[in-house]
């Protein structure tokens, strides 16, 4: 017999105020190939604010759209044919989720086995909720896409974000040299403690001034990789701070204004979408193995900006995310 779970839904496009908590029906037992997860914590992502506001790359199915990619929890039941997971396993969610129908902002959620990944037993729920999307994006963008190598310099823009803080740690783990940008002096100190070799406080600086500082910090050579979350008019000057033959990985668009590319400067531009990697069995295997190795040995330390208690705080959590005043991930403990 179907049962219900408290679930975050929205019935119209808008700000955090459109999010509602309602009882949504879920089956009492998952179908073949599916897993029932009792959710312990949610990790918020910028994509979810864009989806809720109607500016993501696909539109929500209204009314009663669900929301959310990333959660950690415990497997409560498995459907026929599920072989990689068992009841009681600690897990994380993320790959291949279509948010309208499968969003994980809920007390319990039923998902395809391919969207549920085993979480190391030593990793608590809050850490697990803050880890999957950030580290797999950094891994896929920096290592698989850009081919970042030991000794390379990488410029990470918007480095106080969840993905930005993960990218610093991923770069350090392989012996690369992370340079970071952030808007305030207060955030600078935290990024240095996390492992950034240098932090450029952008403040009111122009992108051209930032690019000049990048050149200075690299002895005039420029960086081998630009890992960019921003885009907009600042894209061109930062791309011109690449070393000859360097690569840009653009994984976000915080600035929606048009971006120019450099002319007559040898570089490669990659537009990165994490689902292209994690949507394949091989990509999921590699990215999850890399993530879990770092979590298990303590090399990866997800930065959690704030933890909200209970689904009833979801609007407050989204307001903080849109304020851009936090560092790292926002987590809601369910």
């Amino acid at each position: 017999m179907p049962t219900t779970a408290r679930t975050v839904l929205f019935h119209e496009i808008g700000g955090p105020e459109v999010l509602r908590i309602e009882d949504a029906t879920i089956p009492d037992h998952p179908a073949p190939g599916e897993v029932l997860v009792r959710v312990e914590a949610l990790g918020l992502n910028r994509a979810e604010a864009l989806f809720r506001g109607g500016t993501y790359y696909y539109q929500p199915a209204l009314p009663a759209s669900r929301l959310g990619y990333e959660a950690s929890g415990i497997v409560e039941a498995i459907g026929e044919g599920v072989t990689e997971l068992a009841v009681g396993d600690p897990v994380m969610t993320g790959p291949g989720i279509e948010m309208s129908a499968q969003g994980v902002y809920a007390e319990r959620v039923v998902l395809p086995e391919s969207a549920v990944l085993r979480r190391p037993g030593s990793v608590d729920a809050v850490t697990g909720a803050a880890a999957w999307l950030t580290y797999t994006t950094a891994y896929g963008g920096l290592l698989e896409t850009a081919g970042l190598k030991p000794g390379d310099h990488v410029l990470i823009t918007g480095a106080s974000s969840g993905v930005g803080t993960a990218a610093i740690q991923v770069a350090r783990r392989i012996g690369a040299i992370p340079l970071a940008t952030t808007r305030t002096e207060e955030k600078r100190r935290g990024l240095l403690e996390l492992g950034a070799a240098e932090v450029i406080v952008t403040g009111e600086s122009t992108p051209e001034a930032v690019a000049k500082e990048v050149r200075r910090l690299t002895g005039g050579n420029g960086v081998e990789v630009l890992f960019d979350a921003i885009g907009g008019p600042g894209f061109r000057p930062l791309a011109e701070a690449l070393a000859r033959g360097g690569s840009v990985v653009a994984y976000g668009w915080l600035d929606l204004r048009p971006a120019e590319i450099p002319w007559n400067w040898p570089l490669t531009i990659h537009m990165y979408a994490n689902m292209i990697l994690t949507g394949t069995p091989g990509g999921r295997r590699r990215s999850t193995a890399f993530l879990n190795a770092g979590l298990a040995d303590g090399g990866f330390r997800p930065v959690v900006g704030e933890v909200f208690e209970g689904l009833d705080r979801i609007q407050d959590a989204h307001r903080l995310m849109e304020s851009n005043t936090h560092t790292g991930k926002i987590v809601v403990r369910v």
Side-chain angles (χ1 to χ4, degrees), residues 6 9 24 114 131 137 143 152 154 173 180 214-215 237 287 293 309:
R6 296 182 79 228
L9 302 174
S114 60
T137 298
L143 303 190
D152 284 352
V154 54
R173 190 170 181 86
V214 170
R215 287 283 187 187
S287 58
E309 298 293 337

Side-chain angles (χ1 to χ4, degrees), residues 1 10 12 68 76 82 95 109 135 139 157 190 213 239 265 300 318:
M1 176 180 293
F10 62 104
E12 60 183 319
E76 284 199 331
V82 172
V109 62
Y135 286 94
Y139 163 80
T157 65
E213 180 65 3
W265 184 246
F300 291 159
H318 268 244

Side-chain angles (χ1 to χ4, degrees), residues 7 15 33 40 60 64 96 103 108 142 145 185 207 211 221 263 271 302 313 334:
T7 302
E40 296 178 299
R108 283 174 171 78
L142 292 176
T145 302
E185 182 65 30
N221 296 321
W263 297 104
M271 308 304 292
R313 299 294 308 280
V334 178

Side-chain angles (χ1 to χ4, degrees), residues 139 143 170 173-174 285-294 300:
Y139 163 80
L143 303 190
V170 168
R173 190 170 181 86
I174 69 156
R285 184 188 71 252
R286 295 190 302 275
S287 58
T288 303
F290 186 79
L291 165 62
N292 282 347
F300 291 159

Side-chain angles (χ1 to χ4, degrees), residues 73-298:
I74 301 295
V75 174
E76 284 199 331
I78 60 174
E80 182 181 350
V82 172
T83 59
E84 298 298 319
L85 297 166
V87 172
D89 281 348
V91 292
M92 302 176 286
T93 72
I97 287 174
E98 194 288 307
M99 284 194 285
S100 286
Q102 301 170 325
V104 299
Y105 286 13
E107 291 179 332
R108 283 174 171 78
V109 62
V110 176
L111 294 168
E113 181 183 16
S114 60
V116 183
L117 308 163
R118 187 174 283 106
R119 165 169 51 104
S122 60
V123 176
D124 65 86
V126 169
T127 300
W132 181 80
L133 189 60
T134 54
Y135 286 94
T136 60
T137 298
Y139 163 80
L142 292 176
L143 303 190
E144 295 226 358
T145 302
L148 186 70
K149 299 178 180 61
D152 284 352
H153 288 85
V154 54
L155 177 64
I156 302 163
T157 65
S160 296
S161 69
V163 174
T165 55
I168 291 171
Q169 295 173 58
V170 168
R172 278 295 189 192
R173 190 170 181 86
I174 69 156
I177 305 165
L179 311 180
T181 73
T182 191
R183 292 186 299 175
T184 68
E185 182 65 30
E186 180 182 5
K187 291 183 176 182
R188 175 181 180 273
R189 291 191 294 272
L191 295 178
L192 288 171
E193 291 172 0
L194 196 61
E198 301 283 353
V199 178
I200 302 169
V201 178
T202 58
E204 301 300 321
S205 299
T206 65
E208 289 78 10
V210 174
K212 183 178 180 180
E213 180 65 3
V214 170
R215 287 283 187 187
R216 186 189 71 81
L217 291 172
T218 57
N221 296 321
V223 294
E224 281 74 21
V225 176
L226 166 61
F227 192 54
D228 185 49
I230 300 172
F235 184 86
R236 178 173 179 169
L238 292 183
E240 289 173 340
L242 280 170
R244 187 180 298 274
S247 294
V248 178
V249 176
Y251 74 94
W253 56 93
L254 293 177
D255 189 333
L256 294 175
R257 292 175 295 173
E260 293 184 355
I261 63 173
W263 297 104
N264 298 324
W265 184 246
L267 58 85
T268 301
I269 298 176
H270 304 273
M271 308 304 292
Y272 181 76
N274 200 43
M275 74 284 293
I276 302 302
L277 172 70
T278 60
T280 66
R284 276 195 304 277
R285 184 188 71 252
R286 295 190 302 275
S287 58
T288 303
F290 186 79
L291 165 62
N292 282 347
L295 290 176
D297 66 19

Side-chain angles (χ1 to χ4, degrees), residues 56-72:
Y56 199 42
Y57 77 93
Y58 68 94
Q59 290 294 303
L62 300 173
S65 175
R66 300 174 68 108
L67 188 62
Y69 278 126
E70 199 169 11
S72 63

